[in-house]
Amino acid sequence: MTKPPYVTVVVPTFRERENIPLVVGRLDDLLGDFEWEVVFVDDDSDDGSADVLLDLSRRHPRVRAIRRIGRRGLASACLEGMASSSAEIFAVMDADLQHDETVLPKMIGAFREDPALDLAVGTRYTGGGGVSNWSKRRQFVSKFATLIEKSVLRTPLSDPMSGFFVLRRGLFEETVRHMTGKGFKILLDIVLSTGRELRTREFPYEFKARQHGESKLDVVVGLEYLYLLVDKTLGRLVPVSFVLYVLAGLSGLLLHLLILGVLYRGAGIPFVNAQISATVVAMVSNFLVNNAVTFRTRRLKGVLLAVGLTSYMAICALGAIVNVQSADYLFEHAIPWWFAGAAGALIGAVWNYAVSTQIVWTWLPSMLRKKKS
Ligand code: GDD
Ligand code: MN
């Protein structure tokens, strides 16, 4: 090969010894119009794939192989294949020839025709596409999963689980650091990881039966798929740290109400005094829980813990004043004691979250670190 490739076909392989030479043969027949190369990303298959790959890549200038030792995973294999390439366009295809490789030239050609095209997807569900001899169960699972995905996708795709697609380098560069990189659903990962709507084209094809080897789709793959969806939907709407902060706050609120109830209802202490005491205890508790859980990666220790707690209390004092004032106001206006107490605590919490995150767990540690160095 004299020119750099225009397109790299990335083929993830795990135990596909017999299929690998067939794939190279098919690409040879079909991709004559392009400067192309194929990179097989093999996860140290124990069926002799490595020898086949070594032999092929010595004889064939368009064949490369990446051997990953001690690693597994379809999506990450595809990503590493792309990362190893200098091409403008990346195609992803399975090694088992279940994807209809005769559609590939059209998919790649679409990128020449349309310079703004981001993604070309081989799809099983539109036009002439279909699935030959799939079990009823697998067809149902596939349709169901597709339905969930469609409801969370920005870019409408009729077959978002497709493992047969072509993308422009730019889309890879734009998304690779935001991707989960886990499991089977790399296309879905890409589409969910971009912040914009993509320019796509779909190419119907018939999903064929496997000739050699067996499928690697199993329960773990299913779990990884669920993780991907949760991470990309809930994880994007609310950061995990915020969820933790809210949970820590809720535990503080329970403690607050408990103390308020005991002091005001049980011991007959005046409401305002009971609310002040409950607030102080909840404050210390919130500080400790957040330090241990929410901000565990920048946990304050030793002197910093004492300084942190002091500043946290000082910051929260203002929030606490607002808290007690609002609670007292509500209480005076015949709102039930428990609601007045909780509402006051909540109003104070908004202030606490905003300011303490910035000062106690961000600014303070970095200030002290600077002093030391
Ligand atoms: N490197 C690597 N590591 N490759 C893997 C791994 C792995 O852990 N697991 C599977 N592969 C390779 C296989 O060797 C094959 O080339 C390709 O990934 C697809 O694996 P199959 O086991 O053939 O998957 P399938 O046929 O059940 O699933 C197909 O349909 C899905 C849609 O329902 C694939 O096309 C999927 O990509 C697609 O999402
Ligand atoms: Mn397959």
Side-chain angles (χ1 to χ4, degrees):
M1 210 159 58
T2 48
K3 284 189 190 160
Y6 171 69
V7 55
T8 296
V9 183
V10 177
V11 183
T13 58
F14 189 70
R15 298 193 186 131
E16 304 283 2
R17 185 190 55 226
E18 286 124 317
N19 289 319
I20 291 167
L22 301 179
V23 170
V24 175
R26 295 304 291 139
L27 296 179
D28 240 343
D29 293 343
L30 290 164
L31 296 186
D33 287 346
F34 307 96
E35 287 301 326
W36 66 277
E37 66 165 0
V38 56
V39 54
F40 292 94
V41 188
D42 187 71
D43 284 353
D44 205 17
S45 305
D46 50 7
D47 65 346
S49 291
D51 296 333
V52 175
L53 286 170
L54 183 62
D55 180 56
L56 265 172
S57 43
R58 278 183 174 161
R59 287 190 292 113
H60 204 309
R62 295 188 188 275
V63 177
R64 286 198 291 125
I66 296 175
R67 285 171 60 196
R68 305 199 306 171
I69 314 293
R71 311 265 307 276
R72 269 303 298 278
L74 174 51
S76 66
C78 295
L79 290 181
E80 283 180 41
M82 295 181 209
S84 79
S85 151
S86 63
E88 171 63 22
I89 304 292
F90 306 133
V92 175
M93 193 177 85
D94 290 354
D96 53 14
L97 298 169
Q98 289 191 277
H99 297 150
D100 187 352
E101 67 283 354
T102 62
V103 186
L104 202 53
K106 271 187 270 168
M107 291 166 76
I108 299 168
F111 284 81
R112 281 198 174 153
E113 287 161 24
D114 181 356
L117 188 65
D118 292 302
L119 188 66
V121 183
T123 168
R124 290 164 292 181
Y125 297 116
T126 53
V131 279
S132 60
N133 62 34
W134 260 21
S135 69
K136 274 260 146 41
R137 193 174 143 264
R138 171 125 198 212
Q139 284 192 33
F140 174 77
V141 169
S142 176
K143 283 250 163 68
F144 184 70
T146 308
L147 206 76
I148 306 179
E149 287 159 18
K150 276 191 183 160
S151 48
V152 302
L153 280 185
R154 269 211 200 175
T155 305
L157 287 175
S158 55
D159 189 6
M161 291 202 294
S162 177
F164 185 31
F165 56 92
V166 183
L167 71 156
R168 203 178 284 284
R169 164 179 291 279
L171 180 55
F172 167 77
E173 303 288 2
E174 186 182 318
T175 50
V176 65
R177 283 189 187 76
H178 307 292
M179 289 174 60
T180 308
K182 291 206 176 70
F184 253 49
K185 305 305 169 193
I186 179 172
L187 175 65
L188 190 65
D189 207 347
I190 291 174
V191 174
L192 288 173
S193 299
T194 155
R196 63 188 173 96
E197 191 159 330
L198 301 175
R199 192 174 171 92
T200 56
R201 263 187 74 181
E202 302 197 296
F203 294 79
Y205 76 98
E206 172 99 15
F207 194 76
K208 290 177 282 182
R210 209 180 227 283
Q211 305 295 338
H212 304 280
E214 29 184 76
S215 170
K216 284 91 201 173
L217 210 93
D218 57 12
V219 182
V220 177
V221 169
L223 288 179
E224 286 175 336
Y225 169 63
L226 271 182
Y227 175 90
L228 172 69
L229 280 186
V230 171
D231 186 51
K232 289 297 176 194
T233 49
L234 289 180
R236 193 167 51 186
L237 292 177
V238 260
V240 180
S241 77
F242 182 71
V243 174
L244 290 176
Y245 197 93
V246 169
L247 288 178
L250 282 179
S251 77
L253 182 62
L254 281 181
L255 190 67
H256 181 104
L257 288 179
L258 189 78
I259 292 168
L260 182 65
V262 168
L263 295 183
Y264 172 65
R265 297 290 296 239
I269 291 172
F271 179 77
V272 173
N273 294 352
Q275 175 75 349
I276 290 172
S277 314
T279 303
V280 171
V281 176
M283 248 158 67
V284 176
S285 153
N286 277 356
F287 172 81
L288 294 176
V289 173
N290 278 317
N291 191 50
V293 182
T294 316
F295 301 104
R296 64 195 176 287
T297 50
R298 29 182 162 153
R299 188 176 294 162
L300 308 178
K301 285 180 198 138
V303 186
L304 208 52
L305 184 78
V307 180
L309 177 61
T310 316
S311 2
Y312 181 85
M313 300 282 274
I315 290 160
C316 293
L318 241 169
I321 290 171
V322 181
N323 163 354
V324 176
Q325 291 277 314
S326 334
D328 192 41
Y329 175 86
L330 291 173
F331 181 72
E332 292 297 328
H333 287 77
I335 304 288
W337 64 270
W338 56 269
F339 189 85
L346 213 71
I347 294 165
V350 174
W351 161 271
N352 291 350
Y353 173 69
V355 183
S356 71
T357 308
Q358 280 309 308
I359 295 188
V360 177
W361 280 284
T362 311
W363 181 78
L364 208 74
S366 79
M367 269 299 287
L368 277 166
R369 229 176 290 129
K370 264 188 213 142
K371 259 196 185 161
K372 263 188 200 162
S373 58

